[in-house]
Amino acid sequence: MRTSPVWNPQQYGKYAGERGRPFADLIARIGDLPAPDQVGTRTQATGTDQVATRDEAVVLDLGCGPGNLTVGLLDRWPSATVHGVDSSAEMIAEADKLREDPAVAARLTFEVGDLLDWSAPAESADVIVTNATLQWIPEQLDLLPGFVRALKPGGWLAIQIPGNGDAPSHAILRELAARPPYAEYAADKSLRPDVPGPADYVDALSGLGCSVDAWETTYNHLLPGDNAVLEWVKGTGARPVLQSLPDDLREEFEAEYGARLAEAYPRRDYGTLLPFRRIFAVARKES
């Protein structure tokens, strides 16, 4: 398994409403699930054929984080079982708290797993969702064939990734991390792989026998609080850099980074405006 930052569910949970909006927009584009599996049986006493129907759908959330969005999939598909996977043990520990209700626990499970190593049986899932996760994996397009293979005919793959690598929040982070005295520890931690655009997803997933709907959206989030963009990125993009630094340098870096972010994203009476580009792809596996 790859080395990854120790994620903080509480820090990540700040601005949960804004972080959850792209997930809701992604899920809304998923259509009807595949028809229920039908299993033929033959009654020996009468010699008649009977058909039993299994109507329990299987939904997978790959990169589920603390599970606060995953649990909503139970309402989206009331007859489904939902399984979340994340590489962070801290995130999965937080997600497991959602299973305290026995009725929820019967339908919702979580596991620690790296998507580079994870695999599902062929044609086992009705829906695979991966939200804001593949941005961290340079080889993400190489994972798509395995995801599609795991879908039942007629099943859905839904992907959302941030596409804001050129935003001031990230450009300032890279600039500071490449400067002494931080570069010794953090220069490589600020680098992020290039992410595919909508057309890349259309090309890759169409070649795997899927019909594809891909698009991009820039959200203009209004964030409350002091130096809100710093608080946002401390839970996500800046976390690998901050964790790589010794304690004394981390405090110095955060102060300088925070000051630069406050200039780039000034607080107004109505809040702090954070434009945030995101890329979406929803693919249906042909029957």
Side-chain angles (χ1 to χ4, degrees):
M1 183 176 291
R2 294 166 295 140
T3 300
S4 61
V6 178
W7 297 103
N8 184 320
Q10 287 69 43
Q11 183 70 41
Y12 182 80
K14 292 184 178 182
Y15 308 116
E18 289 82 3
R19 294 192 194 279
R21 184 177 169 192
F23 185 86
D25 292 343
L26 177 70
I27 298 305
R29 293 287 188 104
I30 298 175
D32 294 338
L33 299 190
D37 293 334
Q38 292 188 332
V39 182
T41 61
R42 187 169 183 82
T43 303
Q44 291 187 0
T46 62
T48 59
D49 291 328
Q50 295 180 340
V51 176
T53 299
R54 295 182 304 207
D55 59 0
E56 187 177 83
V58 175
V59 178
L60 306 177
D61 186 0
L62 305 183
C64 62
N68 59 306
L69 298 175
T70 312
V71 71
L73 300 176
L74 297 176
D75 294 328
R76 176 69 167 81
W77 292 290
S79 66
T81 59
V82 177
H83 183 64
V85 180
D86 200 276
S87 63
S88 167
E90 293 77 17
M91 288 293 195
I92 292 298
E94 188 70 15
D96 274 332
K97 296 176 184 178
L98 299 169
R99 304 182 66 249
E100 293 178 356
D101 182 341
V104 172
R107 298 177 53 209
L108 180 65
T109 55
F110 295 101
E111 70 168 304
V112 177
D114 190 313
L115 295 194
L116 287 179
D117 304 320
W118 178 90
S119 63
E123 299 188 357
S124 63
D126 295 82
V127 178
I128 295 177
V129 177
T130 177
N131 181 65
T133 299
L134 296 182
Q135 60 172 321
W136 301 102
I137 302 177
E139 313 90 334
Q140 66 154 289
L141 292 180
D142 295 337
L143 300 181
L144 299 185
F147 294 164
V148 173
R149 203 162 38 242
L151 290 173
K152 298 174 184 176
W156 296 85
L157 172 63
I159 298 168
Q160 184 274 126
I161 55 171
N164 63 335
D166 295 330
S169 56
H170 291 64
I172 295 169
L173 182 70
R174 289 191 296 270
E175 178 190 337
L176 286 179
R179 280 175 23 193
Y182 313 123
E184 177 184 353
Y185 306 96
D188 62 331
K189 302 298 182 183
S190 67
L191 302 178
R192 299 275 286 279
D194 293 334
V195 298
D200 297 310
Y201 281 119
V202 170
D203 185 59
L205 290 166
S206 296
L208 295 171
C210 297
S211 56
V212 189
D213 179 15
W215 71 99
E216 64 179 73
T217 297
T218 296
Y219 295 88
N220 286 286
H221 297 305
L222 281 176
L223 306 180
D226 293 329
N227 213 339
V229 177
L230 175 63
E231 291 303 309
W232 177 289
V233 297
K234 280 167 61 177
T236 52
R239 192 161 184 83
V241 170
L242 293 173
Q243 284 201 326
S244 72
L245 295 168
D247 291 345
D248 56 336
L249 286 183
R250 184 183 305 119
E251 184 175 344
E252 180 181 334
F253 183 97
E254 187 172 323
E256 187 172 0
Y257 183 42
R260 296 275 301 274
L261 288 178
E263 292 180 2
Y265 301 92
R267 184 179 182 182
R268 309 296 187 188
D269 291 341
Y270 50 78
T272 300
L273 180 65
L274 173 63
F276 202 117
R277 174 177 176 255
R278 293 184 182 269
I279 298 162
F280 300 79
V282 174
R284 183 177 184 272
K285 183 177 180 178
E286 296 298 337
S287 300

